[in-house]
Amino acid sequence: MASTITCPTQTSDLRSSFLGKISDVSVTCVPVTRVGFVKKAIVCKESRIGKLPIEVPSNVTLTMEGQQVKVKGPLGELSLVYPREVLVEREDAILRVRKAVETRRANQMHGLFRTLTDNMVVGVSKGFEKKLILVGVGYRAMVEGNVLVLNLGFSHPVRMTIPEGIKVKVDDNTRITVSGYDKSEIGQFAATVRKWRPPEPYKGKGVKYSDEIVRRKEGKAGKKK
């Protein structure tokens, strides 16, 4: 004999609000305090390179116009425009580069522009140089006027025009010295010369810097008997 179980049902008013009395169930509203956020100032560590002072020699003339600095010395003249995150201050024969604001970008620009400023001062007073060495049978170099001629194993010699403000000297037909007062221009020209024939890792043939260490590889071994 089957038996039936009848459960009491309760009806609820769907039109009633969520907070209130629903199906004889009372909902209590608990006040929640407002969550506050505290803004903290970004504190960046000062660059170890950026905080170093720059000594200006007596034979160097420094001119500051707003965010532009011009440096003139016995070897030449250079200028640099600084971003708004960086300030330049002069104290007698000492030049200091400081941050104008405390941001991450200012911390990055601090050390970079201090190095660029030091390169300008040293460049116009003492100058820079980069040395290259040609390694390989028949590899030669010579200077013809303002043109550097390279024989690097191609079917024709490579002719490169020497930029203004850069001096190129060749010793023993295989040693090239690039000198001048602009460090970036010297590095760029030396890198362009090296790019024509970078040193290969098996025999070391090519154009390399004088202080460059070429990691050598072992050649393919012959068939073992």
Side-chain angles (χ1 to χ4, degrees), residues 174-186:
T174 57
R175 298 180 179 273
I176 305 173
T177 302
V178 184
S179 60
Y181 57 88
D182 192 341
K183 188 175 183 179
S184 60
E185 290 290 336
I186 295 171

Side-chain angles (χ1 to χ4, degrees), residues 26-203:
S26 61
V27 180
T28 305
C29 299
V30 180
V32 180
T33 57
R34 179 178 294 180
V35 179
F37 296 93
V38 179
K39 294 184 178 180
K40 294 184 178 181
I42 301 175
V43 180
C44 300
K45 295 182 179 180
E46 190 173 9
S47 173
R48 290 178 294 178
I49 297 176
K51 65 183 180 182
L52 296 176
I54 302 172
E55 296 183 4
V56 181
S58 58
N59 58 350
V60 174
T61 304
L62 190 67
T63 305
M64 302 174 60
E65 298 177 357
Q67 291 295 100
Q68 184 180 19
V69 175
K70 295 181 180 180
V71 180
K72 186 176 182 180
L75 299 181
E77 182 178 357
L78 293 172
S79 62
L80 181 64
V81 179
Y82 294 79
R84 59 184 180 181
E85 292 89 357
V86 177
L87 297 176
V88 184
E89 299 176 356
R90 184 175 184 179
E91 303 172 0
D92 297 331
I94 299 297
L95 197 66
R96 296 184 182 274
V97 179
R98 303 185 185 278
K99 294 184 292 184
V101 291
E102 287 292 337
T103 60
R104 182 174 298 175
R105 175 175 169 80
N107 195 47
Q108 295 169 349
M109 297 294 103
H110 188 201
L112 171 63
F113 277 85
R114 188 268 171 196
T115 301
L116 295 177
T117 307
D118 184 63
N119 289 343
M120 290 197 307
V121 174
V122 176
V124 298
S125 58
K126 299 179 182 179
F128 294 99
E129 69 176 14
K130 200 80 172 177
K131 295 183 178 180
L132 300 165
I133 300 177
L134 277 61
V135 180
V137 178
Y139 287 10
R140 295 176 174 274
M142 64 181 68
V143 178
E144 296 179 356
N146 65 333
V147 177
L148 175 63
V149 183
L150 301 170
N151 294 318
L152 301 175
F154 299 114
S155 60
H156 60 281
V158 178
R159 304 177 67 88
M160 299 181 60
T161 303
I162 302 174
E164 185 179 356
I166 292 180
K167 297 180 181 180
V168 179
K169 181 182 178 182
V170 178
D171 297 324
D172 300 331
N173 296 327
T174 57
R175 298 180 179 273
I176 305 173
T177 302
V178 184
S179 60
Y181 57 88
D182 192 341
K183 188 175 183 179
S184 60
E185 290 290 336
I186 295 171
Q188 181 61 48
F189 184 77
T192 305
V193 174
R194 181 184 179 276
K195 189 177 180 181
W196 280 104
R197 185 71 79 175
E200 50 92 13
Y202 295 101
K203 294 184 179 180

